[in-house]
Amino acid sequence: MVDGTVICMAILNLIKRLPIDLGQGHYRHETKAKTVAFALAGDGNGKKALDFGCGDGFWSEQLKSRGWDVTSVDNYDFRYKYTQQVDAEQKLSFPDNTFELVWVLEVVEHVKHVEQLLDEFRRITKPGGRIIITTPNSNFWLYRILRPFGITPPKIQNPDHKQFFSFADMQRLFPQAYIYGFFPYTLIKLVISSGIGFLSPTFIVIEDQSA
């Protein structure tokens, strides 16, 4: 008899190679959540943006192409030559009301003191500015199916993840934000604003700061 866990892991490994957000390693610049976030960033026209967790700098360059004056920071990944080092667990060094855009893709799940970091993002965002965050939905349907087999988000996701968010967590952390997801996962992908907690593998959070 074939072990059900082995089958589930084989299926999961296959799914990770599909262009959905479970496949960050293969499609990290192409997932629907990130392209939706980029569309919602708009044109910068010389305004200041913070790319928090810039990694290889791909999105910093994309934001620059749309006219944003980008500051690129990361905790530990310095592949991008313009990266400045920050500690996500400490108070950020930027003055209040510095940026019109704070851009944070697949980062907050790596942070232990996430509420403290969100307070810092709000502090450094100018009135009328926008915070854009994407992060995995650790309670969408596939995880629910796998959980009875002992295959939980901590076993599947990046081993550095410290947070495993549900839709209820998003509502608590971002009570004034718009929260989006997407469905289905291949070919035509539709942005959704309902059923997100069950259907979407990723949350897209858009929080506009009061002017």
Side-chain angles (χ1 to χ4, degrees), residues 92-111:
L92 302 178
S93 61
F94 304 106
D96 294 359
N97 306 325
T98 299
F99 301 100
E100 280 88 1
L101 173 66
V102 174
W103 173 265
V104 191
L105 301 190
E106 312 299 313
V107 171
V108 294
E109 64 273 12
H110 294 268
V111 178

Side-chain angles (χ1 to χ4, degrees), residues 18-204:
L18 296 175
I20 65 174
D21 286 32
L22 280 178
Q24 293 288 346
H26 299 278
Y27 296 95
R28 64 186 181 278
H29 300 321
E30 302 171 30
T31 57
K32 181 65 173 179
K34 293 179 181 179
T35 58
V36 170
F38 187 56
L40 293 169
D43 293 326
N45 299 316
K47 295 178 181 178
K48 293 183 179 296
L50 177 68
D51 183 0
F52 195 93
C54 64
D56 63 6
F58 177 85
W59 289 108
S60 289
E61 292 297 320
Q62 295 300 306
L63 291 168
K64 288 177 182 179
S65 76
R66 296 187 65 175
W68 290 96
D69 176 8
V70 181
T71 298
S72 306
V73 302
D74 207 294
N75 252 18
Y76 56 82
D77 190 341
F78 305 110
R79 289 173 289 164
Y80 185 50
K81 62 181 178 180
Y82 300 113
T83 303
Q84 300 177 32
Q85 186 172 13
V86 296
D87 185 344
E89 304 291 358
Q90 301 295 326
K91 181 179 176 65
L92 302 178
S93 61
F94 304 106
D96 294 359
N97 306 325
T98 299
F99 301 100
E100 280 88 1
L101 173 66
V102 174
W103 173 265
V104 191
L105 301 190
E106 312 299 313
V107 171
V108 294
E109 64 273 12
H110 294 268
V111 178
K112 182 177 180 180
H113 300 104
V114 65
E115 295 186 41
Q116 173 182 294
L117 181 60
L118 297 180
D119 286 343
E120 283 295 283
F121 289 157
R122 292 167 180 137
R123 178 184 67 78
I124 65 177
T125 303
K126 289 184 178 181
R130 171 168 283 186
I131 300 170
I132 297 180
I133 292 173
T134 69
T135 191
N137 173 8
S138 293
N139 199 38
F140 96 114
W141 66 267
L142 179 60
Y143 291 131
R144 299 185 195 191
I145 291 173
L146 295 174
R147 190 171 289 118
F149 297 95
I151 304 173
T152 61
K155 293 182 179 180
I156 298 169
Q157 297 178 13
N158 187 310
D160 186 56
H161 285 187
K162 299 175 178 63
Q163 305 288 341
F164 301 93
F165 299 116
S166 67
F167 185 61
D169 294 324
M170 292 292 99
Q171 291 179 307
R172 176 179 59 82
L173 292 169
F174 303 98
Q176 306 300 320
Y178 295 99
I179 304 173
Y180 300 103
F182 71 91
F183 179 84
Y185 314 120
T186 58
L187 301 177
I188 298 173
K189 301 179 184 181
L190 304 177
V191 178
I192 59 174
S193 57
S194 60
I196 302 165
F198 181 72
L199 294 174
S200 181
T202 304
F203 297 117
I204 307 159

